[in-house]
Amino acid sequence: KRTLPANHEYKRSDVDLILGYYWKYAGQVGIDPYLAAVQSVYETNAWRSFWAGRPRRNPANLGVVSKSIGLSFKSWNVSVQAHIGKLLALALTDRQCNAAQKAMVRKNPAHMTIVDRGSVKTLQDLNGRWNNLASYSSKLLTKAKEIKG
């Protein structure tokens, strides 16, 4: 169900395109596309944030340290794969990844610097790992429920 809010910059067709990439790629490598999309919506205030805007297209504050330091992507196709790659890198070590998962992990330009490889087995394990919030997983669950209505 695609009922996520659009913003002043992204039209409904853009939102559908972005979400389509989550459904195209996430399931192929064992990531829940709904959870990844919810995380993107949460991290970017429904793609209203500075880093989600064009020309940056950063779906989940990947590599963002400040307003001037973060990762930018040439397309949402590329950036969504980078996001999924980071989720995979946190969930699996290289030894645990199959070929498709390894390829997706490498789609994240910062994959070599992810130190908590294989440490996220449950949603709660994202607490303090994705960002510094100890209650990160509960905030994601709240956003997921809000989106579902």
Side-chain angles (χ1 to χ4, degrees):
K1 186 176 178 182
R2 294 183 181 178
T3 59
L4 301 177
N7 65 25
H8 64 281
E9 184 173 359
Y10 292 110
K11 299 177 290 198
R12 182 62 195 196
S13 59
D14 295 318
V15 172
D16 288 344
L17 178 75
I18 295 165
L19 292 175
Y21 290 132
Y22 281 101
W23 266 259
K24 178 178 180 178
Y25 297 117
Q28 294 176 0
V29 292
I31 295 291
D32 180 338
Y34 182 71
L35 177 62
V38 166
Q39 185 182 34
S40 179
V41 169
Y42 171 74
E43 285 287 332
T44 64
N45 188 25
W47 304 302
R48 290 180 183 97
S49 72
F50 172 81
W51 282 100
R54 293 181 180 101
R56 293 157 299 278
R57 297 178 192 89
N58 189 321
N61 290 326
L62 299 172
V64 173
V65 177
S66 69
K67 190 160 183 167
S68 60
I69 300 172
L71 295 175
S72 294
F73 299 91
K74 66 181 180 177
S75 71
W76 279 101
N77 185 4
V78 171
S79 67
V80 167
Q81 290 180 74
H83 178 201
I84 294 166
K86 181 169 182 180
L87 288 170
L88 274 171
L90 288 171
L92 303 170
T93 64
D94 279 339
R95 297 181 99 176
Q96 295 169 321
C97 287
N98 63 34
Q101 291 167 329
K102 283 181 186 176
M104 188 63 73
V105 166
R106 288 190 297 272
K107 301 283 184 175
N108 184 304
H111 73 277
M112 296 296 289
T113 63
I114 298 170
V115 294
D116 290 346
R117 293 293 310 266
S119 64
V120 175
K121 302 301 180 197
T122 68
L123 188 60
Q124 290 75 22
D125 292 338
L126 284 173
N127 293 341
R129 285 193 175 89
W130 192 269
N131 60 28
N132 293 327
L133 285 177
S135 60
Y136 187 74
S137 63
S138 66
K139 292 186 182 301
L140 281 182
L141 286 174
T142 298
K143 181 55 74 178
K145 291 175 187 173
E146 177 186 309
I147 291 169
K148 270 197 164 176

